[in-house]
Amino acid sequence: MGETTTRSDGDADRATSRADDGSDPLTERAGDDADPSTERTGDDADPTRPPAPGGLPLLGNVHELASDALAFYERRAATHGGVVRYDVFGTESYLVTDPAAIRRILVDDHDRYEKGSMPREQLGGLLGDGLFLAEGDDWRDQRTAIRSAFFRERVAEYGDPMVDHARRAAASWDDGDVVDVHAAATDYAFDVLAESLLGSDVERERETVRAAAESVTERFDTRRLTSFLPAWVPTPTNRRYRRRLDALRSTIRDLVAERRAADPPANPGAADDLLGTLVAAADMGAMDDDRLVDNAVTFLFAGHETSALGLTYTLYCLADRPAFQDRVRREVAALDGDPEPADLRACPALTAAVDEALRLYPPVHSFFREPTEPVTLGGHRVPAGVVLTLSPWAVHRDERWWDDPEAYRPERWLRDEAAGPAHGDDAAGPAVGERPEYAYFPFGGGPRHCIGMRFARQELRLATATLLRRLRLEPVTADLSVRASANTRPAEPVRVRVRTRDESPEETDPAVSR
């Protein structure tokens, strides 16, 4: 097959923060060469408003978003620049795809922005007042209470279940089986989360979690005009969504009660998993029980859904690039047994394979912010309170920053050995070529970057390495259809054929490019 291609759910076919584990997003600041067009607005500034082409009366651009939201973002960015207006049922929104403006929003002037009313209206029923939607001191207190579960040393301890469950998945497939990798990756991500973050107690509630996840996907599927309506509107989808979320929250409350009855550690840092951390934090007064449940739901979906999507896209892309797949397999076959977290530093091709999949198919297609005061972005005046949509999907596919952006080319992340370190564990890799830092931000950025970033990157690499030590992946799905829901989801099953691999890894020249 040729280069990986994708088509969104619209009619047109399209070829298919800096997530830096080593840097501290809390201390990032722009240098002297920061884009002056995104500086704080002075009294003498008089920038123009961003363009707002198109749209229908009352609906605005809802019909375009419903037809294909991802293609809509790409068209707007390509045609009208890095900051452009659009309209949803009369509510003015701004699409931001200028990396300098994105950095200013997420990092340099982060204190002038908040998640805002739109994410709360859309996601409040799902995530409540947990870490994802909390603001100000409430957010800082929750993050401080939770962060010990994601320290580097703690995340490394989760490596064993990540490898064990990938081993079991590989053993469950016979040579020649055709596997829906999205379904398999979803099961895998749930198993890992159940054991490492929420405790094995949640395993018996798999069906409750599955039903809730299905309703979340349905509720936020942008192909449905009703997805733009508030959750309280009594559509069949919304009623099912509320009913299943209520069941999930009741289940989590039961798990919390059981954990308390088992005399858990009083110190969050001494807990064995995230649920224990949350219970200890609540018991010491860092959050109430409602926020405890809100955070459990947040991490259940963030750790389950987005990791499953990242693994799906990585395996799909590698199946379609057998030469690079073999290059990764050679790299991991040279390890002394299945990979451990410490081994990942010696696996630049593996890391490049994952990071390139996250570039091409970012599981989170959009982040949202609202300015708390008027600001200037990309030379345009932006009023307070409007919804800003920061789109990794559009930025990651912008030909200004990425050569051949719709092709899966993990080689772009690798340096020649003579040029220095290739691509280690602590950075997202050089992505050879000059481009702004926030031309790549699958995990967001700044103080509110994804707290589970290190966990997710480790999980994706360990799972991929463990599978490729045992299997060869061959593509069955020819073109990958994706759609915008709460995340970037496949519109159809993603199928690959698995071949058991007992032969020598020295079978394909990894330098061959397709």
Side-chain angles (χ1 to χ4, degrees), residues 205-346:
E205 304 295 345
R206 177 186 291 272
E207 181 55 29
T208 302
V209 176
R210 186 206 61 76
E214 181 181 84
S215 283
V216 169
T217 298
E218 184 182 35
R219 165 75 181 93
F220 295 103
D221 184 349
T222 58
R223 296 175 301 176
R224 304 168 183 263
L225 288 176
T226 54
S227 72
F228 298 95
L229 298 175
W232 56 261
V233 176
T235 65
T237 295
N238 284 349
R239 288 198 300 269
R240 187 162 47 248
Y241 169 73
R242 292 196 300 271
R243 183 174 65 252
R244 291 178 175 179
L245 278 185
D246 286 345
L248 177 63
R249 287 178 173 277
S250 177
T251 292
I252 291 174
R253 289 185 185 279
D254 289 344
L255 293 174
V256 169
E258 292 174 10
R259 189 63 66 93
R260 281 185 168 136
D263 192 25
N267 180 356
D272 293 331
D273 55 30
L274 178 60
L275 185 60
T277 300
L278 293 172
V279 170
D283 288 349
M284 65 184 294
M287 65 181 74
D288 60 25
D289 276 10
D290 286 339
R291 282 174 171 76
L292 189 166
V293 174
D294 292 340
N295 278 304
V297 172
T298 296
F299 285 105
L300 191 60
F301 283 103
H304 175 208
E305 290 284 297
T306 58
S307 292
L309 291 167
L311 184 57
T312 297
Y313 298 136
T314 298
L315 299 179
Y316 170 80
C317 290
L318 285 171
D320 201 45
R321 285 292 311 275
F324 202 85
Q325 182 185 159
D326 279 339
R327 179 171 179 173
V328 174
R329 197 259 173 146
R330 291 168 184 264
E331 192 174 73
V332 299
L335 300 175
D336 185 17
D338 279 325
E340 298 180 358
D343 295 324
L344 296 175
R345 293 176 179 272

Side-chain angles (χ1 to χ4, degrees), residues 17-23 152 344-345 347-348 351-352 355 413 415 421-431 440 453-454 457 461:
S17 30
R18 188 182 61 174
D20 186 343
D21 290 344
S23 68
R152 182 184 300 276
L344 296 175
R345 293 176 179 272
C347 298
T351 306
D355 285 343
W413 295 94
R415 288 191 181 102
H423 186 348
D425 177 42
D426 288 335
Y440 181 75
M453 174 177 65
R454 184 177 289 121
R457 293 188 71 227
R461 288 177 290 173

Side-chain angles (χ1 to χ4, degrees), residues 10-73:
D11 295 332
D13 285 357
R14 294 177 283 121
T16 82
S17 30
R18 188 182 61 174
D20 186 343
D21 290 344
S23 68
D24 181 3
L26 293 170
T27 61
E28 291 181 337
R29 288 293 182 267
D32 295 336
D33 59 347
D35 183 352
S37 69
T38 61
E39 293 291 347
R40 294 174 180 261
T41 305
D43 292 338
D44 58 344
D46 186 26
T48 61
R49 296 179 71 202
L56 297 175
L58 299 180
L59 287 178
N61 302 107
V62 169
H63 63 298
E64 296 176 88
L65 288 164
S67 174
D68 187 342
L70 302 178
F72 171 77
Y73 291 158

Side-chain angles (χ1 to χ4, degrees), residues 434-446:
E434 296 297 326
R435 64 180 53 82
E437 179 180 11
Y438 278 82
Y440 181 75
F441 62 115
F443 296 98

